Amino acid sequence: MVENHMTIQEKLSKLPQVNECLKGPYGQKWLEGSYRKIVVRAVREVIELKRRAILNGLDPDVSLDAIAGEIENLIRKYSAHKLRPLINASGVVIHTNLGRAILSDKAISNVAAIAGGYSNLEYEISKGKRGKRYSHIKDIIKELTGAEDAIVVNNNAAAVLVCLDTFARGREVIVSRGELVEIGGSFRIPEVMQASGAILREVGTTNKTHLSDYENAVCGNTGLLMKVHQSNYKVIGFTEEVPVERLVVLGKAFRIPVVDDLGSGSLISLEKFGIHGEPTVQEVIKQGADIVTFSGDKLLGGPQAGIIVGKEKLIQKIQKNPMLRALRIDKMTFAALEATFMQYLDEEKALQEIPTVRMLTQPLEVIRKRAARIHALLKKSISGQAELKIVGDQSRAGGGSLPETDFPTYAVSVRPSGISVNGLEERLRRGVPPVIARIQGDALLIDARTIQDREIKILTGCVIAAFGNNI
Ligand SMILES: *Cc1c(COP(=O)(O)O)cnc(C)c1O
């Protein structure tokens, strides 16, 4: 063969130049579909790989036709966003690692409309002059919660921080020992307290705190009485906590505001869905809490935000805190939040259209049918490579919401025969889009609760592809 007589030098001389690769029809296509720096990097890397192969005594085909596929793979890899969508088959509805609440279609289209153009974010159209950023959202929050006034910040941690800073810098905040929670590692009540300059005055015991505990702790330097939603744990057995309406009586007597950090903050009573003990924001306001704080992206099902509602005089005071400027929300959050709140004006629609609320309250039969659809699609393609079953299981609310609440669900159980279940889990996780499922014994469970109907085909395609790699 002629090639065998080619010297390494001759082989190297056949390597294409980067510019050559970019000029032809391949190059044109790549540059149109991606970005110049990415294309150049991909071409360079593949040429370099071939150079090394030649130096190692190999004889690769270095024609553009032969190396185009490799270049395209690299372009695709480098063009992919680092933050990208995935399919949540874990059954955890409010999954903090997976972006918490997913927005409703209405919220998404409102974000697109507001983000893609100028808006009246801080402009009063009727008067033709500067307006207030927070004015747009105030009225609807007041209407939905029954509160006198409202303000919105970056997240609920910020909401708590600004409340503490406004009313209790250098002063004592009385909190029950049963409510000194840690949420997700970084938010711990004692530490937030410290960061704000407030002094934590813990009262009662882990399991029991009485009104008299609060009463005995009140002194001239008390800035706030605070209740904190336990969020991600429950104290059961021999327990007692002081309901907010009784704290309110105490607060009134001593002229000390009562703050209730609700954490999740649901606007819909979940009792009729068999979910007990989660007070709505409206209820807590009705019980007289002076300030209530809650998250935008937990049970509410909106964007990341912290909502502060309560007495007008107090909210106005928060409004004047210079710290607010550092915690303010942007127009995209406003757009998503306003659209989400609007949907709560019709509870039936909210239950259907806000994904978080829908996923948590959907009838078991709906979940079973979705699992059956997934099962049927998988069975057609991979029944020879895995044992497929529809199984009953439990989902979770997640996000520090509704701990110990059962969410019966249906999942598709995939027990692979050719590969290990860990191998399958990894392939799905590393696929495009990634699918996050959970392992139970030697099977992978795909929980139908957190799968959106529009994702079913993509999801089953991913599972089938994961098995396809096997052959
Ligand atoms: C989740 C939670 C927070 C923090 O809310 P983010 O919106 O995540 O900042 C604060 N307090 C309670 C009780 C919570 O459950």
Side-chain angles (χ1 to χ4, degrees):
M1 289 247 198
V2 185
E3 244 119 341
N4 286 343
H5 301 297
M6 271 202 326
T7 63
I8 284 187
Q9 218 38 257
E10 281 168 329
K11 285 183 199 162
L12 286 176
S13 71
K14 291 229 174 339
L15 282 170
Q17 301 286 316
V18 174
N19 274 343
E20 248 174 78
C21 298
L22 297 185
K23 267 188 202 131
Y26 279 118
Q28 251 169 21
K29 186 177 78 177
W30 299 335
L31 289 169
E32 265 168 39
S34 182
Y35 302 97
R36 173 166 285 271
K37 283 198 170 153
I38 287 176
V39 174
V40 170
R41 187 184 346 152
V43 170
R44 277 222 176 97
E45 280 182 25
V46 172
I47 293 174
E48 181 56 26
L49 276 176
K50 300 300 160 194
R51 184 190 317 280
R52 295 226 176 128
I54 293 169
L55 291 174
N56 283 332
L58 299 174
D59 190 16
D61 184 349
V62 296
S63 68
L64 198 48
D65 282 331
I67 64 173
E70 265 174 85
I71 294 174
E72 279 165 21
N73 281 343
L74 279 186
I75 292 175
R76 207 171 304 122
K77 184 174 149 194
Y78 295 145
S79 303
H81 288 156
K82 299 280 198 290
L83 176 63
R84 53 198 191 172
L86 54 74
I87 294 178
N88 176 9
S90 73
V92 181
V93 177
I94 308 167
H95 199 309
T96 299
N97 300 151
L98 306 186
R100 284 217 187 143
I102 60 177
L103 294 180
S104 68
D105 291 341
K106 284 188 178 134
I108 294 164
S109 56
N110 202 35
V111 170
I114 292 298
Y118 292 104
S119 63
N120 62 335
L121 182 64
E122 289 187 356
Y123 185 73
E124 229 178 301
I125 294 172
S126 60
K127 294 186 180 150
K129 59 176 198 188
R130 185 167 204 269
K132 283 208 182 98
R133 173 178 290 252
Y134 300 102
S135 60
H136 308 290
I137 204 136
K138 218 156 122 163
D139 290 340
I140 188 150
I141 302 181
K142 280 159 63 177
E143 179 175 358
L144 289 168
T145 62
E148 287 176 12
D149 207 349
I151 191 163
V152 179
V153 289
N154 197 30
N155 56 20
N156 190 34
V160 173
L161 191 67
V162 74
C163 286
L164 292 172
D165 186 80
T166 307
F167 302 107
R169 172 167 288 276
R171 307 186 70 190
E172 291 188 359
V173 180
I174 305 178
V175 188
S176 159
R177 289 198 168 94
E179 297 174 1
L180 296 175
V181 303
E182 168 177 316
I183 290 129
S186 52
F187 183 93
R188 311 172 93 194
I189 287 294
E191 284 164 22
V192 172
M193 212 57 91
Q194 205 162 32
S196 76
I199 302 155
L200 173 63
R201 181 82 158 86
E202 42 184 285
V203 296
T205 60
T206 307
N207 56 326
K208 280 204 172 203
T209 301
H210 311 283
L211 188 64
S212 56
D213 293 325
Y214 289 91
E215 200 169 353
N216 293 337
V218 171
C219 68
N221 198 29
T222 306
L224 285 174
L225 302 178
M226 187 174 188
K227 258 193 96 61
V228 183
H229 192 290
Q230 287 168 341
S231 295
N232 49 17
Y233 73 104
K234 255 191 178 152
V235 181
I236 53 166
F238 188 58
T239 66
E240 189 173 321
E241 63 173 304
V242 180
V244 71
E245 62 256 54
R246 296 193 60 205
L247 271 191
V248 166
V249 176
L250 187 68
K252 277 216 175 90
F254 289 96
R255 298 175 155 267
I256 301 166
V258 174
V259 177
D260 194 342
D261 174 17
L262 267 188
S264 259
S266 179
L267 290 178
I268 294 178
S269 169
L270 299 169
E271 290 288 329
K272 55 180 173 291
F273 302 102
I275 301 166
H276 305 290
E278 182 66 30
T280 62
V281 179
Q282 305 87 290
E283 280 162 7
V284 179
I285 286 292
K286 216 171 182 173
Q287 285 158 356
D290 296 296
I291 297 174
V292 179
T293 62
F294 57 101
S295 270
D297 57 352
K298 289 185 183 170
L299 287 179
L300 193 73
Q304 179 190 305
I307 296 123
I308 311 174
V309 296
K311 300 278 157 60
E312 192 175 359
K313 226 173 59 201
L314 302 176
I315 300 289
Q316 288 307 312
K317 223 174 149 193
I318 296 173
Q319 185 104 48
K320 293 198 185 86
N321 189 329
M323 190 191 247
L324 209 61
R325 178 65 175 76
L327 308 175
R328 78 179 188 188
I329 64 171
D330 75 315
K331 58 181 184 259
M332 290 189 277
T333 307
F334 262 119
L337 202 55
E338 188 182 7
T340 306
F341 274 127
M342 290 271 279
Q343 289 177 290
Y344 279 99
L345 293 174
D346 187 331
E347 190 171 306
E348 282 311 308
K349 282 191 183 159
L351 288 168
Q352 285 305 314
E353 295 174 4
I354 299 173
T356 302
V357 186
R358 180 177 64 222
M359 283 186 269
L360 286 171
T361 61
Q362 64 198 331
L364 192 53
E365 182 54 20
V366 172
I367 303 177
R368 196 195 58 76
K369 280 196 177 133
R370 193 178 302 126
R373 272 183 68 194
I374 297 166
H375 180 258
L377 284 169
L378 290 180
K379 211 165 168 189
K380 268 196 271 177
S381 306
I382 56 163
S383 53
Q385 293 162 277
E387 186 190 32
L388 298 165
K389 277 192 300 197
I390 299 173
V391 297
D393 205 62
Q394 295 286 335
S395 320
R396 280 185 293 133
S401 306
L402 313 174
E404 304 301 305
T405 305
D406 285 341
F407 289 94
T409 190
Y410 281 103
V412 178
S413 155
V414 183
R415 227 180 77 196
S417 40
I419 41 169
S420 70
V421 67
N422 290 300
L424 177 63
E425 185 273 342
E426 184 177 349
R427 277 186 194 174
L428 275 174
R429 177 160 43 80
R430 295 170 75 115
V432 181
V435 174
I436 309 300
R438 65 177 188 268
I439 294 173
Q440 197 171 78
D442 57 357
L444 196 70
L445 292 192
I446 297 169
D447 193 321
R449 179 184 296 271
T450 48
I451 309 288
Q452 311 305 301
D453 284 330
R454 64 182 152 72
E455 292 173 340
I456 290 178
K457 286 242 166 68
I458 306 166
L459 163 79
T460 51
C462 289
V463 178
I464 293 162
F467 278 98
N469 290 344
N470 208 22
I471 310 161

